[in-house]
Amino acid sequence: MGGDWTTVVDTEDVDPEDLLEHFDRAWFRGREYRHLTDARHGVERGTALVGDAVVRGFPSIPRALVLETAVPAQFDGPVTVEEKLNGYNVRVARIDGDLLAFTRRGYVCPYTTAAIEELLGPTAFFEDHPERMLCGEVVGPENPYTTHDYAEVDSVGFYVFDVRDRATGDPMAPERRRAVCAEYDLAAVPHYGTFDPAEAATAVHEVLADLDERGREGVVLKSMDGRQALKYTTSAIHRADLEHAFSLPFDYGRDFVFTRVIREAFQAVERGEDPETVRQRGRDLGESILAPAVETIRAVADDELVGESHTVRGDPAVLDALLSYFRDQGLQVEIDRDESENGDRVVEFTKVARATQDKTEYYLEGGTVDE
Ligand code: ATP
Ligand code: MG
């Protein structure tokens, strides 16, 4: 499977057969494929093998804590600044005539695949670029993974931020990619211009203040060839992440809190904030942690199930495929609403957060902690 995949994937010093052992098997529309859920031996997380095709994972993007110094350290030429949208990463490839939408961990998601088929329609992009994949962020209120709202998206949207060679992962230069998106009428992430490294940090802080005000996530800076990237995020999203994490404290709390506090602290220092501004930042940060946890504990005390709730819309068979896909992954999915609306099926469901549910019940019933 994956044809001669070892010619495009650098398998370092590992035997390709051994590496293949780390790939999981999964099925989409009756077809088997393999995918890597975690990076191994230099091969990115999310790399998938479908028939003879290799679909490379999307690389992880380093984060700056201090822009002023990180930008010149990371880039030796002009940088282009784009908005970082807060949804989920999707790679779209056409393999043997079918569009397939891969998640970050290399699963072909049945819901995303159907949504992308509908959003893209019969696009000429893959006729002209059969060896490329579109990398983008899926956002909007009707998706099964994330909940951040964007006023411009009613249901689901797909915004391209990269066009890569499917097999080697080589990126297309951002300027050319933007022209390609315009040519094929593909929605693209917003773009704020290109700057010299020396002036980029100042420009980004201005863009960021506006994004922060609008509750949006942040920016990604990229080199002109698309090979270097750097991300930086708003205080608004740090708080939103904490709110989400502490609404399910035993599932996410611990991993989120340290990283977000550090991001906030460096941001306050880089901006030279006075003591009162720092105190206000602290109050806002604290509220985003405590209030959602209190709400969740109360919900469990009222015998509610807690977890991540999502709404999805579409063909009934696609929604069935999505729910089975989640259940096959071991998730407990509870249906909150299942109705027909203008010919579509609309399902609201909750992915039950098992750790939070169980630990909260345990403590509410008098369980103790050793600390
Ligand atoms: P990883 O860094 O491994 O992807 P992560 O989930 O922590 O893990 P994020 O902090 O969300 O990653 O930042 C990287 C992700 O940002 C990308 O994988 C992509 O999905 C998303 N993204 C949104 N907008 C852009 C953009 N304009 N350019 C590149 N990536 C973007
Ligand atoms: Mg993200």
Side-chain angles (χ1 to χ4, degrees):
M1 195 170 287
D4 197 4
W5 61 284
T6 54
T7 59
V8 286
V9 179
D10 177 10
T11 52
E12 285 181 358
D13 45 9
V14 66
D15 175 359
E17 283 307 311
D18 291 346
L19 183 56
L20 204 54
E21 288 295 301
H22 294 294
F23 280 73
D24 285 349
R25 289 169 196 279
W27 284 263
F28 179 71
R29 294 182 189 158
R31 176 172 195 181
E32 191 187 12
Y33 63 96
R34 299 184 78 158
H35 66 116
L36 202 55
T37 56
D38 284 301
R40 290 274 177 177
H41 302 287
V43 181
E44 314 81 7
R45 165 167 76 124
T47 298
L49 308 172
V50 187
D52 281 343
V54 180
V55 180
R56 296 299 286 267
F58 190 82
S60 146
I61 300 177
R63 171 186 300 277
L65 290 178
V66 181
L67 279 171
E68 197 65 48
T69 45
V71 175
Q74 294 290 316
F75 299 98
D76 48 18
V79 292
T80 181
V81 180
E82 294 173 354
E83 182 171 1
K84 180 178 197 300
L85 294 178
N86 183 22
Y88 59 104
N89 180 303
V90 170
R91 288 161 289 142
V92 180
R94 196 173 72 175
I95 297 171
D96 301 333
D98 295 322
L99 278 191
L100 299 177
F102 295 85
T103 66
R104 202 74 178 83
R105 297 198 303 151
Y107 286 99
V108 178
C109 170
Y111 184 78
T112 312
T113 297
I116 299 275
E117 275 171 346
E118 194 166 324
L119 282 170
L120 297 188
T123 175
F125 174 82
F126 290 104
E127 303 297 326
D128 300 342
H129 304 278
E131 300 304 320
R132 306 268 190 174
M133 57 183 176
L134 297 172
C135 308
E137 198 81 348
V138 173
V139 297
E142 295 181 333
N143 82 70
Y145 303 101
T146 59
T147 53
H148 194 101
D149 267 336
Y150 284 93
E152 64 271 34
V153 187
D154 294 335
S155 174
V156 264
F158 175 64
Y159 294 90
V160 175
F161 52 67
D162 217 329
V163 173
R164 289 184 176 246
D165 185 283
R166 197 177 70 197
T168 64
D170 281 344
M172 185 181 276
E175 260 170 36
R176 172 152 181 245
R177 179 236 309 159
R178 286 193 275 269
V180 166
C181 285
E183 182 186 347
Y184 294 96
D185 212 13
L186 301 165
V189 290
H191 164 232
Y192 300 105
T194 297
F195 307 89
D196 282 333
E199 60 179 23
T202 311
V204 169
H205 279 296
E206 267 167 42
V207 168
L208 214 81
D210 174 56
L211 291 174
D212 191 38
E213 194 122 305
R214 292 156 58 215
R216 297 174 74 112
E217 185 178 22
V219 292
V220 181
L221 285 64
K222 295 175 185 174
S223 59
M224 300 316 280
D225 63 5
R227 289 180 191 280
Q228 246 85 48
L230 187 67
K231 62 191 180 197
Y232 188 77
T233 48
T234 60
S235 186
I237 210 73
H238 302 156
R239 292 193 305 272
D241 285 353
L242 287 170
E243 256 167 50
H244 176 252
F246 279 84
S247 72
L248 302 170
F250 297 106
D251 291 84
Y252 300 120
R254 235 176 265 274
D255 289 345
F256 273 71
V257 73
F258 183 74
T259 51
R260 271 61 181 189
V261 170
I262 294 301
R263 290 173 201 172
E264 284 290 285
F266 277 95
Q267 192 167 87
V269 170
E270 182 165 14
R271 291 196 188 171
E273 289 177 357
D274 60 40
E276 180 43 35
T277 311
V278 173
R279 262 197 300 278
Q280 188 56 45
R281 205 185 259 277
R283 283 191 286 267
D284 293 344
L285 188 82
E287 273 174 31
S288 66
I289 294 173
L290 198 68
V294 168
E295 202 175 306
T296 294
I297 296 168
R298 288 191 172 136
V300 174
D302 289 343
D303 293 326
E304 285 172 34
L305 277 177
V306 295
E308 294 169 270
S309 298
H310 301 282
T311 303
V312 287
R313 169 189 304 270
D315 183 320
V318 169
L319 301 200
D320 280 334
L322 174 74
L323 297 170
S324 335
Y325 159 82
F326 283 148
R327 289 177 173 138
D328 288 347
Q329 290 177 16
L331 291 176
Q332 180 186 345
V333 177
E334 296 293 327
I335 308 298
D336 305 314
R337 181 168 88 100
D338 190 343
E339 279 164 16
S340 251
E341 228 177 76
N342 315 321
D344 279 337
R345 179 179 173 197
V346 179
V347 175
E348 283 177 26
F349 64 93
T350 301
K351 296 178 186 164
V352 177
R354 220 46 263 181
T356 297
Q357 187 79 40
D358 295 346
K359 288 205 171 168
T360 307
E361 283 172 7
Y362 172 73
Y363 295 131
L364 283 170
E365 286 159 11
T368 55
V369 227
D370 290 330
E371 57 191 20

